[in-house]
Amino acid sequence: MNKLDAQRQKEIQQAEELLFAGPQALGFAKGLFQGHFVSDWVMPYPRIPAAQQTELNKALAELRQFLDELDPAEIDRQADIPRKVIDGLGRVGVLGATAPVEYGGRGFTQMANCKLLEEIGRRCASTSVFVNAHHSIGIRALLLFGTHEQKQKWLPKLVTGEQLGAFALTEQEAGSDAANVQMQARPTDDGAHFILNGEKRYITNAAIAHVLTVMARTPVPSSDKTAITAFLVTPDMPGFTVLDARMQKMGIRGTATGRFALRDVKVPKENILGPMGKGLKVALTVLDFGRTTFGACCTGAAKTCLRLAIDHANTRKQFNKTLGEFDLVKKKIARMAADAYAMEAMTTITASLIDRGLEDYMIETAMLKVFTTERLWEVINDAFQIYGGSAYFVDLPLERMLRDARINQIGEGSNEVLTSFVALVGMRGPGMEFKEIYDTMMKPSRGQISRAWTAGMNRLGAAIRVPDVPVKSEQLRAHARQLGRCIWRFNFAVNRALIAYREPILDMQLVQERIAGAAMDLFASTCVLSRQDAEIQFARRNGDSAPPDQSAADLFLRQSFRRVRHFLSGLTDNDDKSLLATAKSYLAKRPS
Ligand SMILES: Cc1cc2nc3c(=O)[nH]c(=O)nc-3n(C[C@H](O)[C@H](O)[C@H](O)COP(=O)(O)OP(=O)(O)OC[C@H]3O[C@@H](n4cnc5c(N)ncnc54)[C@H](O)[C@@H]3O)c2cc1C
């Protein structure tokens, strides 16, 4: 085996261990890749239980009142979120929104939490990223994997904001390649402590946090290997050194992004979170939560852009007309409305998967993160364009929003890495079935023939059956049928790609991008249809004479189905060869 093959084998083994431990029910995204519509994951559209909704409404009212006093422009100018704002966020309960009541939290579900984050995302991205860093990821490992003793010790001060949390994964050598953490944690001879050494960079709240969840490598017993473990580290531990408290940056300037080093920092073994050596799994589970609230924050920001764009389009006149009378402006407004509707629906459904305790929603959270961050970037750009020159000046919020939004496509897993992840993890199910069939054809044995028969029937079943998309509202049946056909076509295209490319598809990111793009739009349009169905049914139950305005949802579905067709036709009709040749040539000889 050459070095490259050995590395590939190691990566596959790591991914298998990480992602596919234990039997799992077929989730929505994995179902799509098998040609199924797993309806109970996405329909009916989830609702927050009435009792919690009342409490959430109260929390939202309090939060809105608090946010009315917030000055996002000043936070941006001063590059600081003042302590009184942090105290206020603690008072209204957002810093411990999902923490259990017994530790002083509000006990909200992830869906309710997303509504709070959407509200903050509407107003100030610095503040929403700060809350995400503290609550969505900073204290998440403690909430999910902490023992009762650990929670009792740490949580009460963290949920009020008296103390702040941070999540420290990224290092010089471990950015997108999160598994490549180099920070070392060596056990002491008596096994009571670990000695941590290494550096972390780009960490939100690094220098203002009182408790940091830090990922470091621990030795694997009776082997020369190491694995990642999560530790709780506090800055008062000797050897904790802040290298840069606030790195100067272009957006979300209110957040304190920093670098720190751990130099022989002695951490008690009681500070380990989750199982030893399972820190990567801990980190990725934490990021599932972070990516959901990312979706909520992007939704909030998109709604603000839509409101600003409508205000301007209705008031600014050129050529004796308001801007809103021009079709090219209408096009932008309509697209923004459609995307904002879809972003909210997708966030709500993804959060509900977490709340229902379903297993394995990693593909859905990755799709949500990529989709909402890409849509928000477009939405801000459209709003910016409608404002013309005025958007360029700092007295309007759009230039700040544009700067703030740019991190979204990079942080918590860059969109390229997540796009590839969606395609590869999604294709694994049908890929394994094809492998079963192929291996049997090459070398038949009794057990293999029966497994290959099942795999073959599964593939055949998906190939001949258009999945049913069960909507209740008569007026949505045509869209539902179209979605079913798109899923069938998608499955067909995935099968064809797997048969045509076999194992090399693991490296073919241009193919992966189209497959993941189609999957994301199928998920988005499913969420939209589910939400639309629920709204129509709700109006019917209430006896409303006019159905709710469905124009944005309708437009989204049309455009989304069109995009799916475009992605799939691109699998066979593209310029990939020429594109790759050009990149190869230019990467080899950098132009002057
Ligand atoms: C403001 C800010 C706040 C942050 N907060 C935190 C935090 O609180 N905690 C924390 O742990 N980290 C944090 N990060 C780090 C962030 O998660 C990383 O920046 C991100 O994971 C990308 O890593 P990188 O910057 O090293 O980019 P790299 O890994 O060097 O990637 C650079 C680019 O290369 C491309 N790329 C990389 N790999 C692939 C691939 N396999 N396929 C195709 N393209 C690829 C992508 O386009 C990517 O954007 C923060 C970063 C910033 C800027």
Side-chain angles (χ1 to χ4, degrees):
M1 198 186 298
N2 66 30
K3 214 171 147 200
L4 206 66
D5 285 347
Q7 174 65 14
R8 158 57 47 85
Q9 284 301 329
K10 197 175 135 212
E11 281 170 13
I12 291 176
Q13 194 192 336
Q14 268 179 357
E16 296 267 337
E17 252 175 48
L18 189 68
L19 300 166
F20 311 113
Q24 283 157 351
L26 190 68
F28 182 79
K30 285 189 180 162
L32 280 182
F33 282 85
Q34 307 258 15
H36 301 308
F37 187 81
V38 183
S39 61
D40 62 331
W41 273 47
V42 286
M43 290 176 171
Y45 191 66
R47 289 186 66 180
I48 293 170
Q52 185 155 109
Q53 186 65 57
T54 311
E55 220 201 308
L56 174 64
N57 290 346
K58 217 172 102 217
L60 278 169
E62 255 180 283
L63 177 62
R64 284 187 191 118
Q65 204 175 13
F66 169 74
L67 292 173
D68 285 345
E69 304 291 312
L70 196 75
D71 186 348
E74 182 64 5
I75 286 176
D76 180 60
R77 260 193 309 274
Q78 298 301 331
D80 184 33
I81 301 175
R83 185 68 223 187
K84 72 173 191 325
V85 171
I86 297 174
D87 290 342
L89 291 165
R91 242 189 344 269
V92 297
V94 294
L95 298 180
T98 63
V101 177
E102 64 172 306
Y103 303 112
R106 291 195 88 135
F108 278 149
T109 57
Q110 187 68 352
M111 251 169 84
N113 187 34
C114 280
K115 295 291 164 203
L116 297 171
L117 262 307
E118 182 188 315
E119 200 57 43
I120 305 175
R122 274 175 188 253
R123 320 283 185 114
C124 176
S126 283
T127 307
S128 63
V129 171
F130 161 75
V131 174
N132 265 341
H134 166 80
H135 180 253
S136 284
I137 58 174
I139 64 172
R140 182 63 52 192
L142 180 57
L143 286 169
L144 290 174
F145 301 98
T147 60
H148 175 62
E149 290 69 34
Q150 287 173 326
K151 288 181 189 171
Q152 216 167 24
K153 178 173 176 191
W154 304 99
L155 277 178
K157 287 186 176 169
L158 285 165
V159 298
T160 58
E162 186 183 335
Q163 292 197 337
L164 297 176
F167 174 78
L169 172 64
T170 304
E171 300 174 7
Q172 162 83 23
E173 301 303 329
S176 299
D177 188 1
N180 198 32
V181 162
Q182 298 298 312
M183 181 170 272
Q184 300 296 320
R186 183 173 44 79
T188 52
D189 291 340
D190 62 2
H193 290 83
F194 282 78
I195 307 295
L196 270 62
N197 276 292
E199 288 185 14
K200 296 282 177 186
R201 69 173 187 181
Y202 306 165
I203 307 301
T204 310
N205 293 352
I208 58 171
H210 304 83
V211 185
L212 298 94
T213 305
V214 173
M215 302 297 158
R217 301 202 85 85
T218 47
V220 175
S222 31
S223 100
D224 56 354
K225 293 190 177 137
T226 56
I228 299 172
T229 298
F231 290 88
L232 284 174
V233 172
T234 57
D236 57 356
M237 291 174 170
F240 184 102
T241 315
V242 173
L243 301 173
D244 197 341
R246 283 178 186 270
M247 301 167 80
Q248 295 292 308
K249 57 190 192 292
M250 75 175 253
I252 53 164
R253 283 167 44 79
T255 60
T257 317
R259 291 193 303 128
F260 67 89
L262 300 185
R263 297 191 177 128
D264 290 329
V265 172
K266 198 170 171 187
V267 181
K269 72 172 186 336
E270 289 73 31
N271 285 22
I272 289 179
L273 285 173
M276 270 277 276
K278 294 287 175 196
L280 197 53
K281 172 93 181 156
V282 170
L284 294 184
T285 309
V286 164
L287 291 173
D288 273 335
F289 283 73
R291 287 172 192 152
T292 322
T293 42
F294 239 84
C297 297
C298 290
T299 303
K303 286 183 178 179
T304 297
C305 286
L306 176 61
R307 180 175 51 75
L308 289 171
I310 292 169
D311 287 350
H312 195 67
N314 278 332
T315 49
R316 166 82 173 152
K317 282 192 168 177
Q318 286 292 275
F319 306 100
N320 280 329
K321 286 179 176 178
T322 58
L323 297 181
E325 289 176 77
F326 296 104
D327 285 357
L328 290 179
V329 174
K330 285 181 193 161
K331 175 182 162 188
K332 293 183 178 60
I333 300 272
R335 206 165 46 188
M336 289 162 84
D339 285 348
Y341 185 96
M343 289 160 83
E344 184 175 351
M346 216 170 163
T347 303
T348 303
I349 285 187
T350 309
S352 81
L353 304 180
I354 291 180
D355 292 337
R356 288 166 60 191
L358 297 171
E359 287 174 45
D360 190 20
Y361 33 70
M362 258 189 183
I363 308 185
E364 285 81 358
T365 60
M367 294 201 285
L368 173 72
K369 194 270 178 178
V370 175
F371 185 86
T372 53
T373 57
E374 294 293 342
R375 295 334 296 163
L376 177 61
W377 186 243
E378 293 299 321
V379 164
I380 293 184
N381 197 37
D382 279 350
F384 204 99
Q385 192 67 15
I386 290 173
Y387 270 77
S390 61
Y392 218 76
F393 297 91
V394 297
D395 55 332
L396 287 181
L398 282 165
E399 63 82 30
R400 171 171 45 81
M401 292 182 77
L402 190 87
R403 284 188 283 112
D404 288 346
R406 193 58 188 85
I407 181 58
N408 297 337
Q409 289 144 306
I410 298 167
E412 293 197 15
S414 75
N415 285 4
E416 288 79 2
V417 172
L418 292 178
T419 296
S420 189
F421 171 86
V422 167
L424 291 181
V425 180
M427 284 192 292
R428 185 176 183 273
M432 292 304 282
E433 289 186 337
F434 279 124
K435 187 169 180 307
E436 199 78 62
I437 299 166
Y438 178 79
D439 288 351
T440 308
M441 276 161 45
M442 292 293 128
K443 217 166 142 199
S445 77
R446 208 162 225 264
Q448 244 173 352
I449 289 174
S450 118
R451 282 199 303 275
W453 174 258
T454 313
M457 291 315 282
N458 279 347
R459 292 295 83 227
L460 186 68
I464 55 176
R465 209 181 309 117
V466 174
D468 181 41
V469 177
V471 288
K472 291 204 172 76
S473 315
E474 188 54 42
Q475 63 263 53
L476 296 181
R477 295 265 148 80
H479 278 323
R481 275 195 298 275
Q482 221 177 332
L483 176 58
R485 279 197 298 276
C486 281
I487 293 171
W488 179 85
R489 273 190 69 174
F490 172 70
N491 179 250
F492 186 78
V494 167
N495 289 348
R496 197 164 57 179
L498 283 166
I499 292 167
Y501 304 121
R502 306 242 312 264
E503 203 158 292
I505 204 169
L506 294 171
D507 292 317
M508 299 173 77
Q509 290 196 330
L510 301 178
V511 173
Q512 293 165 17
E513 185 181 40
R514 295 186 185 99
I515 288 174
M520 285 186 230
D521 257 305
L522 290 172
F523 181 42
S525 48
T526 297
C527 296
V528 164
L529 204 55
S530 175
R531 178 179 172 188
Q532 217 184 346
D533 200 23
E535 285 173 355
I536 294 171
Q537 293 303 313
F538 184 75
R540 182 166 302 159
R541 274 198 305 278
N542 279 0
D544 296 353
S545 50
D549 181 358
Q550 296 296 317
S551 56
D554 190 66
L555 174 66
F556 184 85
L557 291 174
R558 288 168 181 280
Q559 296 197 324
S560 183
F561 296 151
R562 198 180 295 283
R563 282 194 296 266
V564 171
R565 290 195 292 271
H566 174 74
F567 282 128
L568 298 184
S569 62
L571 285 168
T572 45
D573 178 13
N574 57 58
D575 306 314
D576 290 1
K577 268 196 187 136
S578 157
L579 182 148
L580 293 173
T582 308
K584 186 176 172 192
S585 150
Y586 274 75
L587 283 165
K589 57 163 177 60
R590 179 172 158 266
S592 55

